[in-house]
Structure formats: structure tokens, C-alpha cells
Amino acid sequence: MEQQNYQYQDNSVFVQERSVSKKFFANVFLWMFVALAISTLAAYFINASAEAQSYLFDPLTGKRNLLGTVAMFAPLALVLLMGAGFNRLSFGALVGIFILFATLLGISLSFILVVYNLGSVVGCFAAATGIFGVMAIMGYTTNTDLSKFGPILMAGVIGLVIASVINMFIGSSQFDYIMSFFGVAIFTALTAYNVQKIKRIGLGIEENGEQFAVVDTKKLAIMSALTLYLDFLNIFLFLLRIFGSRK
């Protein structure tokens, strides 16, 4: 009788822990979808308002003005701020910066709807969604340890950044086209890698729940959502470079 009671208690704890992990994982994707929705609305608003566009783009050349340039680089600064200030920032402050990041990113990406045909934007977005979804499922369900690929993928990201900077001076469209294929491949693999990493974070919260404050768990969900959002965004942008039809 005592053994049966012990087994019942053990099973109930197991179910409770599993629910903690699943709740954390669900919160990550919820925050990711919130950021995606905010960015989409911001991009649509800028695209639909000629007055708003005038604040970001030169009406004669169609290029970004000073404010448009600031809006383009501000999201990167906010990502660095969130990473560096994770321990010092409160949950409310982190959420505020996260929402500001998503808004500014949507503003900076509003040029997509100006440069590319709507059909190709929707098509590439759908393709990115499919790729991201498949790799997320693979990363969550696979028993293969993907952590060993982390350094290789990070090196690939650094290589893409360096190549992009070099191409800013070269201005080669062919080089940009080839680099886009590498970009899709790297961030597709990163999606599976990061999903598995986030799953392990959730399992770590289960096993060491008493060491994690509720606010720290919520902050981890925000940062994890940011990681997945950037993976999805890069897949979409690189696909658009390859298959996007310009106006």
C-alpha cells in the first residue's frame, strides 16, 4: 500500500514537471508570435502611410534618410542591450524593450513591401513558415544531440556577417545571391539547434525549479523567443533575396 502511494506521488510529480516544461515552451512561442505580429503591423502601417514613409525615406531617391538609418540599426542595439542587461533588467523592462525591438524591426523592414511584389513576399513568408515549422519539430523530437553543431553554426553566422560587410563595398549581386543560399541553410539548421536548446532549458527548469525564480523563467522565455524570431526572420529574408520578385 505504501509502495503504491509512493508510486502515485512520484507519477504526479513527473506530470507536474512535464507541465512546467511544456508551459515554458508554449510561452516561448507565444512571445515569438507576439513579436511577429507587432513587426507585421508596424511594417504594414508604414507601407500604407505616405506621410510615415516620408520620415524614413527620401522621396526623391527612395533611399533611407538619417531617421530611417537609425530605425534600421536600432533593433540590433536593442538585441545587444537585452543580452547584456538580462540579469539587471526587470521582467517589465525586458518586455518593453522586446516590444520596442519588434516595432522598430517592423518599421525597418517596411521597405520590403515597397521593393518586392506582395505575392512574392507572401510566398516567401509561407515558405519560411513551413521550413521553420519542420525544423522546430525536428529539433524538439530528435534524440540526436545537436549541441556539437553549435560552434559550426555560430562560425557560419559570423562568416555571413563578414561576407555581408565585404559585399557592402563590392556591391556584387551574384555574390549576394550565392550567400543567400548559405544563409537559408545556416538559419534552417540553427532553428533545430535552438529549439532543442530551449527544450533543454525547460527541462532544466523542471529539474532545478527551486533555483529558478518565476521572473527568471519568464525572462528566459523572452530571450528564447527572441532567438527563434531572429532565426525565422533570417530564413524569410534570405528566401526573399533568392526568390523575391521586385516591382
Side-chain angles (χ1 to χ4, degrees):
M1 186 71 178
E2 291 180 357
Q3 184 178 3
Q4 292 178 350
N5 185 47
Y6 172 78
Q7 290 177 347
Y8 174 78
Q9 291 178 353
D10 184 65
N11 289 336
S12 65
V13 171
F14 177 78
V15 172
Q16 183 179 7
E17 288 182 344
R18 280 298 178 186
S19 66
V20 170
S21 177
K22 290 181 178 180
K23 183 178 180 180
F24 173 78
F25 204 78
N27 284 338
V28 170
F29 275 87
L30 175 61
W31 280 113
M32 176 192 165
F33 291 140
V34 167
L36 185 60
I38 292 173
S39 296
T40 302
L41 290 174
Y44 177 80
F45 172 76
I46 296 297
N47 182 257
S49 173
E51 182 179 357
Q53 291 182 29
S54 66
Y55 289 106
L56 302 172
F57 304 98
D58 188 322
L60 297 178
T61 62
K63 296 182 179 180
R64 291 186 179 91
N65 55 26
L66 179 59
L67 186 59
T69 303
V70 171
M72 180 177 66
F73 288 103
L76 175 60
L78 292 176
V79 169
L80 296 176
L81 175 61
M82 292 173 69
F86 176 80
N87 293 323
R88 295 187 296 272
L89 292 170
S90 66
F91 174 68
L94 197 66
V95 170
I97 297 173
F98 182 71
I99 292 175
L100 180 60
F101 157 80
T103 303
L104 290 176
L105 189 62
I107 292 173
S108 67
L109 294 177
S110 61
F111 77 95
I112 288 177
L113 298 174
V114 177
V115 177
Y116 293 94
N117 291 324
L118 180 61
S120 64
V121 173
V122 173
C124 290
F125 186 88
T129 302
I131 293 172
F132 181 88
V134 170
M135 297 308 295
I137 293 173
M138 288 181 62
Y140 190 84
T141 58
T142 183
N143 293 322
T144 303
D145 183 9
L146 302 179
S147 61
K148 57 187 175 182
F149 298 106
I152 300 174
L153 294 173
M154 289 300 106
V157 172
I158 294 173
L160 278 176
V161 173
I162 295 174
S164 298
V165 173
I166 294 174
N167 199 43
M168 288 176 62
F169 298 97
I170 299 176
S172 172
S173 58
Q174 184 176 5
F175 182 65
D176 182 72
Y177 183 75
I178 296 173
M179 190 169 57
S180 297
F181 283 96
F182 285 100
V184 171
I186 290 172
F187 283 98
T188 296
L190 266 176
T191 298
Y193 168 80
N194 285 325
V195 167
Q196 186 180 81
K197 183 178 179 180
I198 292 167
K199 178 184 177 181
R200 289 178 174 175
I201 291 175
L203 293 174
I205 294 173
E206 288 179 358
E207 296 173 359
N208 306 283
E210 68 279 358
Q211 298 179 14
F212 285 89
V214 175
V215 65
D216 290 335
T217 302
K218 291 181 178 179
K219 287 164 67 175
L220 281 172
I222 292 289
M223 296 304 297
S224 298
L226 175 65
T227 299
L228 293 183
Y229 180 62
L230 292 175
D231 289 341
F232 172 82
L233 179 66
N234 279 285
I235 293 173
F236 167 62
L237 291 178
F238 282 121
L239 284 176
L240 197 59
R241 288 184 182 182
I242 299 171
F243 302 107
S245 176
R246 293 176 179 267
K247 292 182 178 179

